[in-house]
Amino acid sequence: VTEAFRKRYLDAWFLAGMTLVAVLVFRLVEPSWLNSHTLQSIITQNGPLALVAMAMTFSIVSRHIDLSPGSMLALTGVVIGLVYRDTGSLGLGVLAGLALCVTSGLVNGVLVSQLGLNAIMVTLATYIWARGLALGFTNGDPIVVNTRLTSITNHTVGGFTIVAPVVVAAYALGWYVLSRTLFGRYTYAMGGDPVAARRAGIRVGLYTTLIFVSMGVATWLASTIVLGQLASAQPYAAPSLELDAIIAVIIGGTRLAGGEGSVGRTLLGVAFISILNSGLLNLGLTDAYYQVYKGAALLAVLSVQLLLRRLVAEDVRRRQESEQLLAEAAGYA
Amino acid sequence: MAVDAPRLPSVAVQAPLDRVRAAAETFGTLAVAGLLLLSFGLTSSVFLEATNLRNILVQITVVGVAAIGETLVLLVGGLDLSVGANVLLGSVVAGDLVQRQGAPLWAGILGGIAASTGIGVLNGVLSAVIGIEPILATLGTFLLAGGLAKIVLHSSWIVVDKPFFADLVRTHVFWQLPLMVIVMFALYALAAVAMRVTPFGRAVYAIGGNPRAARLAGLPAVRVRILAFGLGGAFAGVAGLLQIGQLGIVSSGNATGLEFQAITAALIGGLSVSAGGVGRVERTLLGAWIVGMITNYQTIRGIPPNYQQALLGGILLLAIVADRLFRGRSS
């Protein structure tokens, strides 16, 4: 049993190893990168990614990739900013942002679950229109929102901002829901075999919609944090947040095919991506080299993980075959 | 990741009903294009002028050619997010070779197409041999190709003054259509015929429609996938060359977001990212034309580009919903 357990987490151990290697390499190349504030700043900068990736775990486990969060984060920020500018009430703005995110998630969820549309296609449309509206409403210019929210989000305790407890709470909640509740069980069941899940009486439409709405809530939370951190609403914010989140989930070992994965694995993936981003940016690389190194690192890690998983699967298959043969032989004897 | 049951390939299986349905779908897309043409023409005095229609064709050429490659990849059951970066890479390599390295024109053209094809083949190998999901593999190569292009550019830009590229726009063949538009039509004709008559074309439909059955039937699935992704890269390279002709300058922002325009054109043309093996190459041209008309009309009406993008997203959503309602639910 322990051996099987170890093998099941082989790819996760590999990623953990690669994360350590990344830390060591960045430390060697640029010793000043690793100091007593590195962890704090990584968490502060990558909090929004962590939140979206947590919700993305539910999306991918249930077989639905959601491409909307990056553009929606920008649009939500813009809507909060506009409402604040016109009414002077930040609370009203934040509520409007929440309403927008929940509505968008609801629409996407209903289109996917009731019309049977492909989630990539539906959320690709959101990806396009939401960014267009964010840019259109503002002409591409940021809106200054310097309020109490900024002092709250940028207040530090021992170097940690409020982002740290929010992320910890989100992952604790996500872990609990996915692994300890009926909703979590249903998420795996729908991703593993949607037809079987429906036949088993699971209300696939309801739970699928719920997953899209929870992505909306995560996006809203991330958007509010970004708005506070920057003291402004940026229409160009989070240009490829959804892609980083998908990579974090997949590289953590959750399968794109659905039905498998965990919140813990996503956290590991987020850690790897965050350290990669932080280390590469700290090297003062131009955008060009940053992209090349990041792309190469991702493809390399994904390739090795697939090979590892194939080896494990082969091993399991052989063992099952030999057990079957033994059982058959016992039957004849 | 689709909930859909595998659909039968509509071309490989030449059942009469499938043919009728395919014809009806083409007719449906054509009808939408005609309706838009009519309503835009009635509400704008300049829209139907020959110069404007020609302009639309010129405007859709780069996306249109890149979308041929995207269509092949979608048909074989993949998805290519690296198209935009790959168009940029093709144009950067070609521009760098002919302007900065002093290489002859043919070397620049071949170099540009070869670089993009290389990325395409890498996409194929990563997804078909190693088994990385296409959306992730091409996301990685999107970063790679875009980064490489910017490295070659040296955070600068290249002004291309070779007459060959300018001639793509200046030379008019007939009906005063520029050469690059003719190139686009020729490539679509070539691809449409090739997908119908060559073994490769039939294999693409078979593998995209039902990968398991195709493998059991002995089709070389891995090779066909690599070839489809490689051709996708090659078309991106050609699109990059055409873009040099159109803009006369290569800079890092040139093809940003082009992959989503190409995917949108293919989806409006009736392709699906959930199931391969369904759709026709020539309908993607129709999709690109529809997007081009809408963008052009909005510009005439004075709608700012950002809102045009928002409306394009809305139209894409409508197209997806209409497509599903038109074809009926498959599950």
Side-chain angles (χ1 to χ4, degrees):
Chain A
V1 177
T2 36
E3 200 191 352
F5 183 78
R6 237 181 19 232
K7 284 210 167 125
R8 203 178 132 202
Y9 290 105
L10 201 59
D11 53 346
W13 282 116
F14 171 72
L15 183 63
M18 289 310 291
T19 310
L20 274 182
V21 169
V23 170
L24 283 176
V25 168
F26 289 134
R27 168 72 177 72
L28 283 176
V29 177
E30 184 64 61
S32 65
W33 173 69
L34 196 63
N35 55 46
S36 59
H37 293 292
T38 310
L39 177 69
Q40 287 88 326
S41 66
I42 286 180
I43 292 177
T44 302
Q45 283 160 9
N46 293 284
L49 169 66
L51 292 175
V52 169
M54 202 283 286
M56 191 69 84
T57 313
F58 284 80
S59 309
I60 291 181
V61 166
S62 69
R63 277 199 201 191
H64 300 296
I65 291 186
D66 195 329
L67 295 177
S68 69
S71 300
M72 278 307 288
L73 186 145
L75 179 60
T76 306
V78 164
V79 166
I80 297 176
L82 284 175
V83 172
Y84 169 70
R85 199 177 62 186
D86 293 348
T87 67
S89 161
L90 184 70
L92 211 58
V94 171
L95 275 181
L98 180 61
L100 170 74
C101 282
V102 169
T103 311
S104 160
L106 209 59
V107 169
N108 286 346
V110 166
L111 286 175
V112 169
S113 65
Q114 300 306 315
L115 280 180
L117 295 174
N118 182 285
I120 294 184
M121 297 208 261
V122 172
T123 55
L124 175 64
T126 314
Y127 171 97
I128 296 173
W129 68 251
R131 182 71 67 178
L133 283 184
L135 293 169
F137 286 158
T138 58
N139 280 324
D141 299 325
I143 304 170
V144 177
V145 187
N146 201 349
T147 59
R148 212 157 45 115
L149 185 66
T150 299
S151 43
I152 295 173
T153 37
N154 289 333
H155 179 72
T156 55
V157 176
F160 290 100
T161 59
I162 194 164
V163 176
V166 169
V167 169
V168 170
Y171 274 79
L173 180 71
W175 169 81
Y176 178 77
V177 171
L178 192 58
S179 64
R180 294 287 181 273
T181 66
L182 216 50
F183 177 49
R185 288 283 98 201
Y186 290 166
T187 305
Y188 284 110
M190 294 189 300
D193 190 337
V195 178
R198 200 184 303 271
R199 289 202 183 123
I202 296 174
R203 296 167 70 186
V204 174
L206 175 71
Y207 293 112
T208 303
T209 309
L210 214 53
I211 287 170
F212 279 92
V213 170
S214 62
M215 175 61 93
V217 174
T219 307
W220 166 75
L221 199 55
S223 182
T224 312
I225 289 173
V226 171
L227 186 83
Q229 285 177 339
L230 301 176
S232 61
Q234 304 278 351
Y236 288 102
S240 54
L241 181 71
E242 62 288 323
L243 300 180
D244 265 356
I246 293 168
I247 293 172
V249 173
I250 300 301
I251 218 167
T254 296
R255 304 274 180 91
L256 207 53
E260 276 184 59
S262 72
V263 172
R265 282 175 173 275
T266 297
L267 191 59
L268 192 57
V270 170
F272 179 74
I273 301 286
S274 306
I275 286 169
L276 198 64
N277 281 342
S278 161
L280 287 176
L281 286 175
N282 186 65
L283 291 178
L285 296 175
T286 58
D287 190 32
Y289 282 97
Y290 168 73
Q291 279 189 16
V292 169
Y293 287 139
K294 188 171 166 187
L298 295 175
L299 290 176
V301 170
L302 280 172
S303 303
V304 175
Q305 280 183 329
L306 272 168
L307 290 176
L308 285 177
R309 240 178 262 157
R310 216 174 278 173
L311 286 178
V312 173
E314 181 71 8
D315 192 58
V316 169
R317 197 181 56 80
R318 266 199 213 128
R319 196 162 305 171
Q320 279 173 346
E321 262 177 14
S322 60
E323 272 169 18
Q324 203 177 348
L325 280 173
L326 280 175
E328 275 175 22
Y332 284 122
Chain B
M1 49 228 92
V3 194
D4 305 6
R7 290 183 209 154
L8 283 174
S10 60
V11 167
V13 179
Q14 299 278 347
L17 195 69
D18 276 345
R19 283 197 161 177
V20 171
R21 192 182 301 150
E25 280 168 14
T26 307
F27 180 75
T29 322
L30 260 176
V32 170
L35 221 66
L36 286 175
L37 193 73
L38 200 70
S39 48
F40 289 169
L42 286 176
T43 50
S44 158
S45 52
V46 287
F47 184 80
L48 282 181
E49 279 177 17
T51 332
N52 190 50
L53 294 180
R54 250 178 248 130
N55 269 345
I56 300 180
L57 282 175
V58 173
Q59 282 156 3
I60 67 170
T61 300
V62 174
V63 174
V65 170
I68 303 176
E70 186 70 60
T71 305
L72 292 186
V73 172
L74 286 170
L75 278 177
V76 84
L79 178 68
D80 191 349
L81 292 183
S82 68
V83 172
N86 217 358
V87 168
L88 178 67
L89 183 66
S91 65
V92 166
V93 169
D96 184 71
L97 283 174
V98 295
Q99 290 299 137
R100 288 177 178 168
Q101 316 293 340
L105 184 67
W106 61 266
I109 294 173
L110 279 184
I113 297 178
S116 297
T117 311
I119 295 289
V121 170
L122 181 62
N123 285 335
V125 170
L126 287 170
S127 60
V129 179
I130 299 182
I132 304 179
E133 291 279 350
I135 189 175
L136 292 164
T138 58
L139 184 55
T141 55
F142 159 79
L143 291 170
L144 272 183
L148 286 175
K150 285 175 196 161
I151 288 173
V152 177
L153 268 178
H154 283 305
S155 51
S156 170
W157 58 84
I158 306 171
V159 179
V160 180
D161 56 13
K162 296 278 178 278
F164 168 81
F165 293 105
D167 284 346
L168 286 170
V169 186
R170 277 192 313 224
T171 313
H172 298 299
V173 185
F174 55 86
W175 198 55
Q176 290 180 37
L177 278 176
L179 188 59
M180 63 189 293
V181 174
I182 307 297
V183 169
M184 174 181 73
F185 279 128
L187 288 174
Y188 266 100
L190 193 72
V193 172
M195 291 309 284
R196 281 178 169 74
V197 301
T198 63
F200 166 73
R202 286 193 295 269
V204 163
Y205 277 103
I207 292 165
N210 191 339
R212 222 176 97 77
R215 204 170 46 240
L216 292 176
L219 285 170
V222 172
R223 252 185 294 160
V224 172
R225 279 218 187 87
I226 294 177
L227 193 55
F229 273 99
L231 281 172
F235 279 111
V238 176
L241 297 177
L242 295 175
Q243 195 172 46
I244 297 182
Q246 198 177 35
L247 303 175
I249 185 169
V250 185
S251 81
S252 63
N254 270 7
T256 310
L258 194 131
E259 58 277 354
F260 292 116
Q261 294 171 27
I263 294 172
T264 304
L267 293 185
I268 289 182
L271 269 100
S272 157
V273 296
S274 54
V278 182
R280 292 277 169 83
V281 178
E282 61 272 23
R283 287 233 303 270
T284 297
L285 178 59
L286 211 52
W289 168 253
I290 289 176
V291 173
M293 276 198 303
I294 294 170
T295 311
N296 179 276
Y297 181 72
Q298 296 183 65
T299 310
I300 291 176
R301 288 269 142 206
I303 296 173
N306 293 324
Y307 284 112
Q308 293 186 16
Q309 185 188 337
L311 274 171
L312 184 66
I315 289 160
L316 175 62
L317 194 61
L318 271 182
I320 300 163
V321 172
D323 179 61
R324 172 47 52 98
L325 295 178
F326 188 68
R327 284 193 205 173
R329 291 187 63 171
S330 54
S331 54

